[in-house]
Amino acid sequence: HFRAVLNCDAIGVLFSSYFVPFRNMASLDRVKVLVLGDSGVGKSSLVHLLCNNQVLGKPSWTVGCSVDVRVHDYREGTPEEKTFYIELWDVGGSLGSASSVKSARAVFYNYLNGIILVHDLTNKKSSQNLYRWSLEALNKDSTPTGVIVTNGDYDREQFADIQIPLLIIGTKLDQISENKRSEVLNRTAFLAEDFNAEEINLDCTCPRHLGAGSSNAVKLSRFFDKVIEKRYFSRDGNQIPGFADRKRFGGNTFKSFHYD
C-alpha cells in the first residue's frame, strides 16, 4: 500500500517526486479517482477504509491532497480479469470562494478517470454542495455562475451529460437514529438520480459495511470496473485532459510518502 500527501506549491517538484514510488508498480495500469466533498464528511476515513480494510484511528484534516492506492481486480472471476491500481486522490475539502484556493486545488483535477462524491448524511448542506464539487472538478469554474436557480436548487440538467463515472457515498450512517434513517435516506436518494450514479451509505468505523459480498462492496467493485472500462476499453479513453487541452470542461511540496 502506498500513500502520498501532496500540496500545491512547487508543482514541478511535486509531480516529478510523486511518480518515483510508482516505478516498481510500472507493470500494472492505474486509474485516477478523485474523492471530493466538504471538510469533515469523512473522506480520509473512507479512503483509509477502502485501501486498508481497517478503521482510521485518528483522522486529521487534509491539507492539499493525499493519495492512497487500492489494488482492484477488474472483472474478477471472468476470463477478462486483470489487476489495476486505483489511485484515490483525497482533495482537501474547503469550499471557500477564494479564487486562490480553487486555483491551487485545480491542479489535482487534471487527468481524472472517476469521481467519488462524499457527503455527511447528518449534514444536509454537505449533500447540496456535491453539485458545486462536481462542477468545480469537471468545469474548473472558479465560481459556478448560472447554476443556481431562483429557489436555491441546481439546474440538474447540467449533470445529465457527465461522462466521467461517479459514485455517491454517504457517511456517518451510525449517527442517524433508526426511526429517522428512512427519512434521511429518502432525502438524499435524489443525488444518485441527479448524477446518474450508484449510492452507498455507510459507517466508516465499521469495515463490515464494505465486507466481501455485501451490496456496498458489489456497488464499489462495479464502479471501479466502470472507471477502468471507460479509461482503457472505450474508444475515447474518457479521461478529462489537462489545462492546455481542456475547453468546456473545464506550505506545499511533496511532503511525505510511505509503504504499508
Side-chain angles (χ1 to χ4, degrees), residues 211-256:
S214 66
S215 61
N216 286 343
V218 171
K219 289 178 182 179
L220 186 67
S221 180
R222 196 156 52 211
F223 167 70
F224 287 142
D225 277 2
K226 186 176 181 181
V227 171
I228 292 167
E229 197 161 279
K230 289 276 189 179
R231 171 65 182 90
Y232 287 100
F233 304 108
S234 66
R235 180 174 298 178
D236 61 3
N238 201 57
Q239 178 167 274
I240 292 295
F243 286 106
D245 300 316
R246 196 177 285 200
K247 294 183 175 62
R248 178 179 180 274
F249 290 107
N252 299 330
T253 59
F254 180 75
K255 291 174 60 179
S256 65

Side-chain angles (χ1 to χ4, degrees), residues 3-252:
R3 183 173 189 269
V5 180
L6 312 178
N7 288 290
C8 302
D9 289 344
I11 297 303
V13 174
L14 182 158
F15 281 102
S16 62
S17 302
Y18 168 65
F19 284 104
V20 171
F22 282 99
R23 286 174 181 167
N24 295 330
M25 303 181 185
S27 60
L28 291 183
D29 290 323
R30 52 189 177 267
V31 291
K32 174 181 175 180
V33 175
L34 296 179
V35 181
L36 301 177
D38 288 358
S39 294
V41 299
K43 298 187 301 298
S44 296
S45 295
L46 171 66
V47 169
H48 189 82
L49 181 61
L50 292 177
C51 295
N52 298 278
N53 195 32
Q54 60 183 221
V55 175
L56 180 60
K58 295 181 179 179
S60 58
W61 299 106
T62 299
V63 178
C65 178
S66 67
V67 181
D68 282 77
V69 175
R70 173 189 173 98
V71 177
H72 175 73
D73 291 325
Y74 170 73
R75 302 200 66 177
E76 185 176 11
T78 72
E80 294 80 24
E81 180 175 337
K82 181 180 177 181
T83 302
F84 287 81
Y85 280 114
I86 309 290
E87 296 177 8
L88 294 168
W89 291 55
D90 172 13
V91 179
S94 174
L95 196 54
S97 58
S99 59
S100 59
V101 173
K102 293 183 178 180
S103 61
R105 198 161 53 214
V107 69
F108 303 126
Y109 299 156
N110 288 330
Y111 300 101
L112 64 96
N113 306 117
I115 300 175
I116 296 176
L117 294 169
V118 186
H119 64 113
D120 175 353
L121 292 167
T122 70
N123 182 343
K124 185 176 181 180
K125 186 67 174 177
S126 74
S127 305
Q128 296 171 337
N129 281 343
L130 294 186
Y131 297 101
R132 293 184 64 188
W133 280 110
S134 63
L135 286 171
E136 181 179 305
L138 294 173
N139 297 311
K140 290 179 62 174
D141 292 334
S142 58
T143 304
T145 57
V147 175
I148 301 178
V149 296
T150 53
N151 64 358
D153 290 331
Y154 282 84
D155 177 4
R156 295 182 173 96
E157 290 186 2
Q158 295 196 48
F159 305 93
D161 63 348
I162 292 177
Q163 298 301 309
I164 293 292
L166 302 175
L167 178 67
I168 311 295
I169 296 185
T171 61
K172 306 185 184 180
L173 183 63
D174 57 308
Q175 296 183 23
I176 304 173
S177 60
E178 289 289 344
N179 63 329
K180 290 189 175 181
R181 189 164 293 185
S182 177
E183 175 187 344
V184 171
L185 296 184
N186 285 337
R187 172 175 58 80
T188 61
F190 68 88
L191 290 168
E193 181 179 349
D194 285 352
F195 287 107
N196 190 28
E198 289 197 283
E199 177 186 31
I200 293 175
N201 297 307
L202 49 68
D203 166 16
C204 291
T205 66
C206 185
R208 67 179 177 82
H209 281 192
L210 288 173
S214 66
S215 61
N216 286 343
V218 171
K219 289 178 182 179
L220 186 67
S221 180
R222 196 156 52 211
F223 167 70
F224 287 142
D225 277 2
K226 186 176 181 181
V227 171
I228 292 167
E229 197 161 279
K230 289 276 189 179
R231 171 65 182 90
Y232 287 100
F233 304 108
S234 66
R235 180 174 298 178
D236 61 3
N238 201 57
Q239 178 167 274
I240 292 295
F243 286 106
D245 300 316
R246 196 177 285 200
K247 294 183 175 62
R248 178 179 180 274
F249 290 107
N252 299 330

